[in-house]
Amino acid sequence: MTESALPTTSREWRLLSRPVGWPKPEDFELAEAEIRQPGPGEVLVRNAYVSVDPYMRGRMSAAKSYVAPFELGKAMQGGAVGEVVASAAEGVSAGDHVLHFGGWREYATFDAKQAVKVDPEAAPLSTYLGVLGMTGLTAYAGLLRTGSFKEGDSVFVSGAAGAVGSQVGQIARLKGASRVIGSAGSDEKVRLLVEEYGFDAAFNYKNGPVAAQLREAAPDGVDVYFDNVGGDHLEAAIGSLNEKGRIVICGMISVYNNTEPAPGPKNLARLIATRGRIEGFLVGDHYDLQPEFVREVGGWVRSGELKYRETVVEGIENNLEAFLGVLRGDNTGKMIVKL
């Protein structure tokens, strides 16, 4: 498409009001905005794929957090990958493909310094939002650096069929874990974890108390727990934690829509006996691992040793429904919207 053939407007999702509890459709609008041509140092990108992720629920709140809230009445933001259709920046040309954070819209104009070039020949574009993108690096950094994983560790992952969790379990297996256990929200996802991703054991947390199912799946205890869920999963992991075990807090999707603070685990005192450690982390603190991550994980993806799934929803008009689907756990692997 030539620059002269570009449309003059682009659809974008805006936050109209801050959700209380579960986000509702009336909290958002899909609006048309004029496409702005790039000024000096800027690029105009036509998005091919955009990402929806659980952390975005936090940005819909006005509460102070590690990332600024979405502004009311303005286009929302998120990971996206697309093609540069116009450039006024040195080193970036029309036809290049870039990863950036101008998601939730069809076209985005922004400073080229905020974009990272990606190679569509090396891997499918969508993978740069998932297995080779931020979710992949989250799994890699959280397990290996924050979780101090070492060969022979037993690893438990909650939300294990999701984009991050599925990668954590597979990296642990490829790095020599003694046992990898996952929890998921359906029997189909449990089968996927064992049969396709190579987990040693997995359970459906809806089928019974998490603590009892974890004890059965990990009779010798857990050395590393990678937490994507919080709540009863965190309490169960503390109960099964081995001496000097590590708990990595990546997310707590079970409480994101609560209107009242969720009660904490009742068994925290057990950390004294186990000398256990709980540590939260943000992927943004670990971008120095990016080259190592792409090299190692990219190799596993190309060889087929590390498998990944994507749940792809078509159309910008379905962006909100895709996001709500992530909060419900509808996705297997990375949830992506194809524009």
Side-chain angles (χ1 to χ4, degrees):
M1 186 183 292
T2 64
E3 191 172 329
S4 59
L6 285 174
T8 56
T9 60
S10 165
R11 289 179 292 172
E12 64 183 30
W13 280 96
R14 297 171 183 170
L15 186 66
L16 296 184
S17 56
R18 304 208 178 276
V20 176
W22 273 88
K24 301 180 293 296
E26 53 265 34
D27 294 324
F28 308 84
E29 73 166 344
L30 181 59
E32 289 220 347
E34 210 169 294
I35 294 176
R36 184 172 65 79
Q37 290 303 311
E42 290 185 324
V43 291
L44 170 61
V45 174
R46 180 175 63 246
N47 286 333
Y49 296 92
V50 301
S51 178
V52 286
D53 302 281
Y55 81 87
M56 293 172 175
R57 178 61 185 87
R59 295 197 67 186
M60 294 171 189
S61 164
K64 189 174 181 182
S65 184
Y66 60 88
V67 63
F70 291 131
E71 292 185 59
L72 294 180
K74 300 272 185 76
M76 293 158 62
Q77 297 150 335
V81 65
E83 182 182 353
V84 176
V85 293
S87 174
E90 198 175 324
V92 185
S93 306
D96 287 345
H97 290 82
V98 295
L99 176 67
H100 61 96
F101 280 93
W104 288 81
R105 69 199 84 183
E106 293 174 304
Y107 287 81
T109 306
F110 53 90
D111 188 330
K113 291 176 184 169
Q114 297 168 357
V116 176
K117 281 190 191 181
V118 296
D119 182 359
E121 300 298 319
L125 275 179
S126 59
T127 61
Y128 293 104
L129 294 175
V131 66
L132 294 179
M134 186 176 73
T135 51
L137 181 59
T138 298
Y140 191 85
L143 176 69
L144 301 182
R145 180 175 278 173
T146 308
S148 304
F149 171 85
K150 61 185 184 300
E151 189 176 349
D153 279 343
S154 170
V155 177
F156 171 43
V157 189
S158 57
V164 173
S166 60
Q167 213 156 334
V168 170
Q170 291 184 83
I171 292 170
R173 177 176 56 79
L174 288 163
K175 290 279 193 180
S178 61
R179 191 165 177 80
V180 179
I181 305 105
S183 72
S186 75
D187 293 342
E188 184 184 359
K189 289 180 178 180
V190 166
R191 282 193 298 275
L192 173 73
L193 293 177
V194 175
E195 294 173 8
E196 187 165 325
Y197 294 154
F199 282 59
D200 296 291
F203 60 85
N204 181 345
Y205 65 83
K206 296 175 182 174
N207 287 348
V210 174
Q213 293 196 80
L214 178 58
R215 278 195 299 274
E216 184 178 343
D220 296 323
V222 170
D223 298 303
V224 179
Y225 169 49
F226 195 102
D227 190 13
N228 291 303
V229 173
D232 55 356
H233 281 73
L234 177 56
E235 189 166 290
I238 293 171
S240 285
L241 201 66
N242 288 333
E243 188 173 303
K244 295 191 177 172
R246 289 84 68 202
I247 294 176
V248 179
I249 305 294
C250 177
M252 292 193 172
I253 199 168
S254 70
V255 302
Y256 284 169
N257 294 302
N258 288 7
T259 54
E260 297 292 331
K266 297 189 290 288
N267 57 348
L268 279 173
R270 192 169 186 277
L271 294 174
I272 301 169
T274 60
R275 285 74 123 191
R277 167 166 65 83
I278 298 182
E279 185 175 347
F281 80 104
L282 297 174
V283 66
D285 295 336
H286 302 282
Y287 284 140
D288 61 297
L289 289 176
Q290 180 83 14
E292 174 190 324
F293 156 71
V294 170
R295 185 173 61 253
E296 187 163 30
V297 175
W300 288 331
V301 170
R302 283 189 294 276
S303 69
E305 291 173 276
L306 191 147
K307 297 175 172 60
Y308 67 94
R309 291 280 190 100
E310 294 174 339
T311 300
V312 180
V313 172
E314 301 258 353
I316 188 73
E317 64 277 7
N318 295 313
N319 218 100
L320 176 60
E321 182 54 31
F323 168 69
L324 296 175
V326 169
L327 297 183
R328 290 191 299 261
D330 293 352
N331 57 304
T332 299
K334 183 77 184 76
M335 179 74 91
I336 293 171
V337 180
K338 181 181 181 182
L339 306 191

